[in-house]
Amino acid sequence: MKFNQRLSFRKEVTPAIFAKMMLDPALIIISMFLLAVYFDHRIDRTFIMAVLLVFALAFPGGWSRVDTIRAELIRILSSWPLFVAVLWFFGYATGYLDMFSQDLLLSWVIITPIVMLLAHVGLTKFLTSIHYTSHVTRTAVIVGANKLGLQVRDRMLDDPVLGLQFQGFFDDRSIQRLGFGEDEQAQHLGTLASLSATIRRMQVDVIYIALPMTSQPRLLKLLDDLKDTTTSIYFVPDIFMFDLIQARLDDLAGIPVVAVCETPFSGTNGLVKRISDVVIASMILILISPILLILAIGVKLSSSGPIIFQQRRYGLDGQDIIVYKFRSMTVTENGDKVVQATRNDQRITPLGRFIRKTSLDELPQFINVLQGRMSIVGPRPHAVSHNEMYRKLIKGYMIRHKVKPGITGWAQVNGYRGETESIDKMKARIDYDLDYLRHWSLSLDMKIIAKTIALVFFDRSAY
């Protein structure tokens, strides 16, 4: 199983990057203003405060190049409802909702995603057009035709929005040693000794150095040779070849440091995640309260034992938490040895089999979400005994605890739900959990929630 890794460095604010940051917040605000004018809504201090709140929640935008209109529509519709729900929560809590007409709010909710779709498609066509690229494209070369250098080249070639025109490699190895094919031989521009003279002759704009950090003498000599050029120089650290979790560049009192394993929910992301959890969990608990009452009565009447099974699990940063479930078995194992439920397990009650199949036994965990112990979406919590066993068998197992455990997760909607009777299956589940940490976004959360709802009705693997 192979997943893409993403490393976020500080970026030069080019027109393309600025557009990515500002596009969605600007469209959302412009739609609000235009609809306010259309509905003759008073643009006063209250309206301006609401606009600032919306902008703060929307910035920076998450726009990326559109591959297909259908995929972009799905992406927008998977994140927009959650954004609206968060705003509704703020508006209801502060009383701002009463200051806007229902026609204005409804029109804004419906029209804005349509405007966003049209703008995303139009801007993608513009940023990939010859007219744009001919004005912003800069020539670039790469020092080091190794695996990392090849990845940098591929990013340049695959994303014209970057505005970088790849010229070739500089490497002391011969074409034969590099293993270049006939179509790649022209990409070898020369050795490191010829770099300075060649880039002046070719008028290269940017140099990316992809040499390993162990090549310090070569790097110092190379940088010294480039001092009499005006070319921009970037160093691509070979830590990119590691297994990175939310890697990003930061600084410690002015000293640059690179995070290679960090939670995706630091800073603003953590606030957004928490707000979305509270809003969605509150709404769901209100809607399912009659179901909770019926299930509680059913569990009590179906077999002897407590209605709620309290499980000890590992939470954020490996801290012990208590997780709630409707009891579905005749036993309440929660000690040092826990046997996973299997198909046709005699310990499962008749009602328990139904609520496990439909995931109704997990509903009390929305209370855990409000308590702050869990999140709606995240790696599923395992029994403590299973954690202690698998952390010794699967490399990187405990990294999944960099975030709160979830009621549903990326692994569960990709077929790894229920019993994990082999190490390979558990490893695959962990791979999906770590992939979630690498690529978290609100739209991914909404996608997982939607797929989970579908699995409740169609999945046949849970028991």
Side-chain angles (χ1 to χ4, degrees), residues 9 50 56 66 123 131 137 175-176 184-185 199 273 328 393:
F9 293 115
V66 176
L123 189 58
H131 175 77
T137 297
I175 293 176
Q176 290 73 26
E184 294 179 310
Q185 291 183 8
I199 64 170
K273 178 72 168 177
S328 59
L393 300 174

Side-chain angles (χ1 to χ4, degrees), residues 414-427:
N414 280 282
Y416 293 95
R417 179 178 176 226
E419 183 188 10
T420 50
E421 67 273 11
S422 68
I423 295 293
D424 289 340
K425 279 193 174 183
M426 179 59 77
K427 186 178 183 305

Side-chain angles (χ1 to χ4, degrees), residues 304-448:
S304 59
I307 296 174
I308 297 295
F309 174 34
Q310 299 187 38
Q311 299 175 304
R312 189 167 67 93
R313 295 288 188 262
Y314 281 169
L316 181 64
D317 293 327
Q319 300 296 318
D320 277 7
I321 62 171
I322 298 298
V323 173
Y324 304 138
K325 293 180 68 172
F326 280 124
R327 182 176 55 82
S328 59
M329 305 176 74
T330 56
V331 297
T332 54
E333 296 175 343
N334 200 27
D336 295 333
K337 183 178 181 181
V338 177
V339 180
Q340 280 189 319
T342 59
R343 195 176 298 277
N344 301 319
D345 197 317
Q346 296 302 310
R347 299 172 298 166
I348 302 177
T349 67
L351 177 63
R353 195 170 303 279
F354 169 73
I355 63 176
R356 291 173 68 93
K357 185 76 171 178
T358 55
S359 296
L360 294 174
D361 61 325
E362 313 283 358
L363 293 182
Q365 289 170 25
F366 286 105
I367 299 174
N368 288 131
V369 175
L370 293 183
Q371 292 173 330
R373 299 175 183 173
M374 295 181 64
S375 181
I376 291 178
V377 179
R380 283 294 297 153
H382 299 154
V384 172
S385 60
H386 294 158
N387 275 326
E388 294 304 317
M389 176 179 68
Y390 287 119
R391 70 188 302 177
K392 301 172 184 176
L393 300 174
I394 300 176
K395 188 176 181 179
Y397 177 88
M398 291 301 290
I399 295 176
R400 69 198 300 271
H401 296 98
K402 294 294 292 181
V403 299
K404 294 177 183 178
I407 297 176
T408 184
W410 188 225
Q412 283 64 44
V413 299
N414 280 282
Y416 293 95
R417 179 178 176 226
E419 183 188 10
T420 50
E421 67 273 11
S422 68
I423 295 293
D424 289 340
K425 279 193 174 183
M426 179 59 77
K427 186 178 183 305
R429 175 183 287 187
I430 302 307
D431 285 340
Y432 275 107
D433 289 341
L434 299 185
D435 187 50
Y436 173 76
L437 268 66
R438 294 186 186 101
H439 301 103
W440 174 83
S441 66
L442 283 177
S443 59
L444 178 59
D445 273 1
M446 295 302 296
K447 178 180 179 180
I448 293 172

Side-chain angles (χ1 to χ4, degrees), residues 185-203:
Q185 291 183 8
Q187 295 181 7
H188 189 268
L189 301 178
T191 63
L192 271 60
S194 65
L195 174 63
S196 180
T198 304
I199 64 170
R200 285 197 299 269
R201 175 172 51 82
M202 296 177 60
Q203 297 184 335

Side-chain angles (χ1 to χ4, degrees), residues 30-99:
I30 291 172
S31 297
M32 289 184 67
F33 271 106
L34 293 179
L35 288 170
V37 172
Y38 178 80
F39 286 100
D40 293 325
H41 184 83
R42 184 180 177 184
I43 301 178
D44 53 10
R45 183 180 301 176
T46 302
F47 183 85
I48 298 300
M49 290 297 295
V51 166
L52 292 176
L53 174 62
V54 171
F55 182 84
L57 291 174
F59 184 84
W63 172 77
S64 58
R65 186 179 57 170
V66 176
D67 293 323
T68 65
I69 295 179
R70 180 176 179 273
E72 183 64 14
L73 180 62
I74 293 174
R75 191 188 70 82
I76 292 174
L77 294 181
S78 64
S79 59
W80 179 246
L82 182 57
F83 180 78
V84 172
V86 172
L87 282 177
W88 178 89
F89 174 78
F90 274 115
Y92 179 79
T94 59
Y96 268 64
L97 280 180
D98 299 332
M99 301 178 185

Side-chain angles (χ1 to χ4, degrees), residues 111-176:
I111 291 175
T112 302
I114 299 175
V115 172
M116 291 168 63
L117 176 65
L118 295 175
H120 289 184
V121 173
L123 189 58
T124 296
K125 289 185 178 297
F126 171 72
L127 292 177
T128 55
S129 66
I130 297 177
H131 175 77
Y132 174 79
T133 56
S134 62
H135 285 82
V136 302
T137 297
R138 297 181 298 169
T139 56
V141 298
I142 300 173
V143 178
N146 48 33
K147 185 177 180 181
L148 180 58
L150 294 174
Q151 288 188 3
V152 175
R153 177 200 63 183
D154 293 341
R155 297 291 175 89
M156 292 186 198
L157 297 177
D158 292 342
D159 193 353
V161 176
L162 294 174
L164 295 170
Q165 186 178 64
F166 173 67
Q167 299 293 302
F169 291 104
F170 285 87
D171 199 294
D172 287 339
R173 293 171 295 177
S174 65
I175 293 176
Q176 290 73 26

Side-chain angles (χ1 to χ4, degrees), residues 188-230:
H188 189 268
L189 301 178
T191 63
L192 271 60
S194 65
L195 174 63
S196 180
T198 304
I199 64 170
R200 285 197 299 269
R201 175 172 51 82
M202 296 177 60
Q203 297 184 335
V204 173
D205 297 308
V206 187
I207 298 173
Y208 288 94
I209 301 176
L211 297 175
M213 288 185 285
T214 54
S215 305
Q216 183 179 2
R218 297 170 66 197
L219 287 173
L220 293 175
K221 175 67 168 59
L222 180 65
L223 293 175
D224 191 60
D225 292 341
L226 295 172
K227 284 182 178 179
D228 64 341
T229 71
T230 58

